Amino acid sequence: MHMDGELAADHWLNARHVLSLAGGYYYGTMHFLVTPIVLGLMWWRRPEQYPWLRSALVLTSLVCLVVFWAWPVAPPRFAQPGSIDTLVTRHLFGTANPHGVSGLINEYAAMPSLHVGWALWCAAAVVVTARSRWRHLAWLYPLATTADVISTGNHFVLDCVAGALLVTVMLWLTGPSRSQSRSEPRSLMAWTGRHDENLETRDRDGAEHR
């Protein structure tokens, strides 16, 4: 598919010491900080939107975990000759130590990119719940995350595409419009039942009066 810009992006970033440090720390921290913060804000400030956003995030994560288990895929830093592992070369988070943090994570969980999926979820949650005209700036977060995971040697472009598509599908499946459409028949039946009960009550009261 000629989607082969990973190596060029990786070499460009790692040729710049400060940027590579920033990219490595971004990769190792933002994923675990921003997502729970946004989820907590949705629970606290947008309780009416929280259920479907939470469900989309949980389903996305569960599907990714199943894929990681059933179909292990190596990231570019393992699979692509000449790729530079930014976190290892910069000795970030103890990844250069074979007994460090790298021994506690799944190194073969590249497809789909959960980093990109969670980042896109965060942006979508902000955009659909915020009222500020600046809310669309949130889309910069998944774009920055995509650039970071590719240039640090942790994901192929197709991994990022798969992660974005997955969370988009889950947001659509759990979205309020579909939830409302599923609840409409029950609401109509409930209203009709109450309406019939009211008619029966009025008829009975009328008969007793007569």
Side-chain angles (χ1 to χ4, degrees), residues 6-7 10 72-85 107-108 110 153-156 159:
E6 298 91 355
L7 197 59
D10 182 53
V73 177
R77 55 194 170 90
F78 290 161
Q80 194 170 39
S83 182
I84 301 171
D85 189 334
E107 299 279 7
Y108 296 90
N154 286 287
H155 283 288
F156 291 98
D159 302 335

Side-chain angles (χ1 to χ4, degrees), residues 5-207:
E6 298 91 355
L7 197 59
D10 182 53
H11 286 182
W12 182 89
L13 179 72
N14 284 281
R16 293 156 176 83
H17 181 70
V18 174
L19 285 180
S20 63
L21 285 175
Y25 282 117
Y26 183 105
Y27 178 83
T29 59
M30 297 294 284
H31 180 59
F32 299 108
L33 293 177
V34 177
T35 308
I37 288 173
V38 173
L39 184 64
L41 286 174
M42 293 301 105
W43 173 79
W44 182 39
R45 301 293 299 272
R46 296 291 184 268
E48 70 284 356
Q49 301 282 2
Y50 173 75
W52 72 273
L53 290 170
R54 174 211 56 210
S55 298
L57 181 64
V58 170
L59 288 174
T60 298
S61 304
L62 288 176
V63 170
C64 284
L65 290 175
V66 171
V67 175
F68 297 159
W69 169 77
W71 189 35
V73 177
R77 55 194 170 90
F78 290 161
Q80 194 170 39
S83 182
I84 301 171
D85 189 334
T86 303
L87 273 70
V88 170
T89 56
R90 304 302 179 190
H91 302 281
L92 305 179
F93 304 107
T95 51
N97 183 357
H99 302 292
V101 67
S102 59
L104 304 176
I105 61 176
N106 183 1
E107 299 279 7
Y108 296 90
M111 167 67 79
S113 172
L114 197 56
H115 278 76
V116 173
W118 280 13
L120 184 61
W121 177 88
C122 290
V126 170
V127 169
V128 300
T129 60
R131 298 180 178 87
S132 171
R133 62 178 179 177
W134 303 103
R135 66 186 184 277
H136 290 287
L137 291 175
W139 296 120
L140 294 175
Y141 177 50
L143 291 176
T145 299
T146 300
D148 183 75
V149 300
I150 292 173
S151 59
T152 54
N154 286 287
H155 283 288
F156 291 98
V157 173
L158 202 57
D159 302 335
C160 301
V161 172
L165 286 176
L166 176 60
V167 76
T168 300
V169 170
M170 293 308 174
L171 286 168
W172 178 75
L173 287 176
T174 61
S177 59
R178 291 182 62 82
S179 300
Q180 290 170 4
S181 65
R182 287 193 295 267
S183 64
E184 282 174 0
R186 291 196 297 271
S187 300
L188 181 60
M189 290 173 63
W191 181 85
T192 304
R194 289 195 298 271
H195 185 64
D196 292 342
E197 290 175 2
N198 292 335
L199 288 176
E200 291 174 0
T201 301
R202 286 201 299 270
D203 291 343
R204 186 169 57 253
D205 293 342

